[in-house]
Structure formats: structure tokens, C-alpha cells
Amino acid sequence: MIKKARCVPLRVHILRAMKRRVRPDHEKYQDFLNELGRKEAGIYGEQSLDYYLKLLPETDHPFYIFHGLRLPFRDTFFQMDTLILFTNFFLVLEVKFFKGTLYFDPKNYQLLQEVEENPLKVYPDPILQASNQCSKLQSWLRSKQLPELRCEKLAVLTNPKVIMKVLSNPSAVDRYVIKSPALSDKVSILLKRHSSQHLDKKFTKKLIKQLLKDHTPDTSSPITQYGILASDIIKGVICPSCNPYKIMKRIYGTWECSNCGERLDSAHIMALKDYALLISPFITMRELKRYLGLENRLTIIRLLKNLDIEFVGGTKSRTYNLTPLLKT
């Protein structure tokens, strides 16, 4: 049973908007594109695991799945890709989507990646990452005065084409690193290992409630991190089909691109979402005219009314709240 569904983090939504809106000559443009690439690969890898989660063995007692759970730890937070609560142990899944050939080196706490002719890339050891998640989870349990549960861990590789090679400690790699199709078999082994001392329903319910209560989404902003200014953000309704970007014009009740001929009735919705993500969830009529490239106030009011956008203030000081667009 899924208790916390997977969702695209706010930071990824902002990075995607930055990709659309930040001028390509910005000095940090490639840096945040690289971050977006890593995060989208992670999201793809986690989503591809869903099929194998559905194949987990049936148990006499229900188990509960939490995706992207982010819990407090001392003065910071830790986040688990996927956490499964069985009746007598936790299972932390550190999900990785890597290409090419991977060289596991637990002895030196590292993972090396080789992709075609590119230089070797060094990453943290996923086994150690999963171990750290388990330790922090146990610390969280103690901080909440909850009984500690055994915590098992697995690093799951979701790219079926990735090649695995082992440089050190092969027993650890064999025990803790798997590819997605092996998940069900591995969980069956863990269930046999933990076949007694099941939690009672009352405690399980309390534990689930506390996990969900303490989940704290990441609200850090890449805009500040990468030094993005309002002047760096491209204004206008951007054509989704053109690269490099082209600005669409409002012609006869629709948005039209003079470059590719694309015509869209709702192209302004993404533009308004980008504004809410990159600049502010609140916008005035004056700024709407400037940002959308429209002079007709009644046209703008009609577009916003169709989106059920609420406003506050009088006619001259009216401010529109774009927050509901971020939920769609």
C-alpha cells in the first residue's frame, strides 16, 4: 500500500522553468542544466521501479511504501528514494539510473562510471549512502521515542543495460546491490530473515502517522543558488515547438508562432506557471501586460477568468494569485 506517492519536487519544476526562461548566455546556464539532467534521470529511474514494486511478494501482513520521504536529522534533513515499512523491519531503497559500465569500489567508498569514450566519473558509494539513510532513520526513531526497527538496505539499478563490475568487497556488492528485476526475490529473502515479532496495528498506525507528519518537502531555490535575476528571465509566451525559443503573438483569439506556424489556445498557461515559479506567485495587471506582451486589459481578464485565477485589491491595485496553476 502506497502511503506517500511519488511527486516531482518543486526544485525540479523550477529548474525546468529556468531551462525555458533563463537566457542561454547566462554564466550558470550549463550548471543548472546539468543539475536538471541528474535529477530527471533520478526521477525516471524511480518511476521505472514502480513496475517491480507491484511484483513484491504477497505477505500475511500489509506493508507500506513511502516515496521521497524527507525527515529531520539534527539541524538538517535526509531523504530516502523509497522506504518500505514491513511489519518488523524497514527497507531503504537507494535508486540509481546509470548508463554505461559501473565499477563498484566499497572499500574506497566510491562508484566509478564509464560511458563510451568519456572520462571516468566518480560517485559516492550507493551502499554507504543507503547505510547512512538507515542510521539516520534509526536516529529519527529515537528522537520520536519510538522503538527502533531493523533497517535493511538495497541499492537498486534501474537501467537494464548498465554493466556491473566489482573492484572491491564483492560480498557487500552481491548482498546490497541489485537490478530492478531482482527486487522481488531479494525481498523474499529478507522476509524469511525477519519472520517473527510483527508490530501490532496500533503501533504501525502511529508510526505511519509520524512519518507522514515529519515529512518536510525541500523548498530550496535554485534561483538564488545560481544567481538568476529578473533581467535574466525571458518574457513572453514561448513557443513549445521552437528551439531556440521564439515568442508567440496573440492573434484572433489564439497564440501563434510566426516561426513554425504553431497555434495554441492555452500557451499562456505555461508562461504564467513560469512566472509563478521564477518571479512571484502574485502579479499585477501592469506586469501581466508587460510579461505576456498584451496591451488589451480585457483580453487578459478573460484569460485569467477562464483559469479561475483570484485577485485581491481594487481595480488600480489589483493583484492576481497564480498559485493554483502550480497544482495542475
Side-chain angles (χ1 to χ4, degrees):
M1 181 185 301
I2 295 178
K3 281 296 181 179
K4 183 185 177 301
R6 184 179 290 109
C7 63
V8 177
L10 175 62
R11 187 177 179 91
V12 173
H13 284 299
I14 296 174
L15 286 167
R16 288 172 176 172
M18 287 167 60
K19 180 180 179 181
R20 290 188 292 268
R21 292 278 166 183
V22 173
R23 300 188 183 282
D25 59 356
H26 190 280
E27 62 178 352
K28 297 290 186 180
Y29 189 80
Q30 193 57 49
D31 291 341
F32 70 72
L33 280 192
N34 290 341
E35 180 187 346
L36 177 59
R38 292 192 300 270
K39 290 190 177 299
E40 289 192 323
I43 291 171
Y44 178 81
E46 291 170 21
Q47 290 174 338
S48 66
L49 184 65
D50 288 348
Y51 171 77
Y52 297 100
L53 289 172
K54 294 177 182 178
L55 299 180
L56 289 178
E58 294 184 3
T59 58
D60 294 334
H61 304 272
F63 56 85
Y64 307 94
I65 299 174
F66 304 80
H67 293 299
L69 200 64
R70 186 170 181 265
L71 301 175
F73 174 72
R74 297 176 183 171
D75 59 348
T76 183
F77 297 88
F78 70 102
Q79 184 165 335
M80 296 163 284
D81 293 335
T82 296
L83 175 69
I84 306 178
L85 170 61
F86 293 96
T87 56
N88 49 7
F89 70 99
F90 281 114
L91 175 59
V92 171
L93 301 182
E94 183 71 20
V95 185
K96 301 294 185 184
F97 183 83
F98 282 114
K99 299 179 180 179
T101 302
L102 300 181
Y103 298 88
F104 288 85
D105 188 10
K107 182 179 178 180
N108 294 304
Y109 309 109
Q110 64 183 1
L111 172 69
L112 307 178
Q113 180 193 32
E114 183 179 49
V115 181
E116 296 178 345
E117 301 301 322
N118 297 320
L120 281 175
K121 287 187 178 181
V122 181
Y123 294 94
D125 173 20
I127 300 173
L128 180 60
Q129 287 181 304
S131 293
N132 288 338
Q133 305 290 28
C134 280
S135 296
K136 292 173 181 178
L137 182 59
Q138 298 287 20
S139 176
W140 176 84
L141 287 169
R142 290 192 295 270
S143 72
K144 299 299 173 181
Q145 299 181 330
L146 295 169
E148 292 187 34
L149 289 178
R150 287 290 301 275
C151 185
E152 298 284 357
K153 59 183 180 285
L154 290 172
V156 186
L157 306 179
T158 56
N159 185 350
K161 295 182 180 181
V162 72
I163 299 172
M164 293 175 57
K165 295 188 177 182
V166 181
L167 299 180
S168 68
N169 203 347
S171 60
V173 177
D174 181 64
R175 180 173 180 177
Y176 298 118
V177 182
I178 62 170
K179 288 191 175 183
S180 301
L183 180 61
S184 182
D185 287 345
K186 203 72 172 182
V187 168
S188 293
I189 294 172
L190 294 175
L191 288 170
K192 291 178 182 177
R193 187 182 301 164
H194 302 278
S195 58
S196 61
Q197 298 178 343
H198 297 288
L199 300 175
D200 62 64
K201 293 182 179 180
K202 183 177 180 181
F203 174 76
T204 301
K205 185 176 180 180
K206 179 181 178 181
L207 179 54
I208 292 171
K209 182 178 179 180
Q210 192 66 55
L211 285 166
L212 295 175
K213 179 181 177 182
D214 274 23
H215 169 66
T216 309
D218 182 10
T219 58
S220 63
S221 174
I223 298 172
T224 303
Q225 177 182 340
Y226 292 106
I228 307 300
L229 305 176
S231 57
D232 298 320
I233 296 173
I234 298 165
K235 299 176 180 60
V237 175
I238 296 176
C239 176
S241 302
C242 289
N243 186 19
Y245 73 90
K246 298 294 179 182
I247 302 301
M248 306 181 84
K249 299 293 184 181
R250 186 78 179 172
I251 301 175
Y252 301 121
T254 190
W255 297 97
E256 184 174 312
C257 177
S258 59
N259 182 62
C260 70
E262 179 94 44
R263 300 184 71 184
L264 295 169
D265 293 338
S266 58
H268 57 284
I269 298 177
M270 183 57 73
L272 293 173
K273 286 183 179 180
D274 288 348
Y275 188 97
L277 289 166
L278 300 177
I279 300 175
S280 171
F282 301 97
I283 188 170
T284 63
M285 177 58 70
R286 182 178 180 181
E287 182 62 17
L288 277 164
K289 289 181 178 180
R290 190 170 71 94
Y291 179 71
L292 294 177
L294 295 175
E295 290 297 328
N296 192 314
R297 181 173 174 273
L298 293 178
T299 297
I300 295 175
I301 290 176
R302 184 168 61 252
L303 292 175
L304 295 178
K305 186 176 181 180
N306 290 337
L307 297 174
D308 291 326
I309 299 297
E310 297 181 351
F311 63 85
V312 295
T315 303
K316 293 184 178 181
S317 60
R318 185 170 293 179
T319 300
Y320 294 87
N321 182 5
L322 303 177
T323 304
L325 294 178
L326 301 181
K327 299 176 182 179
T328 60

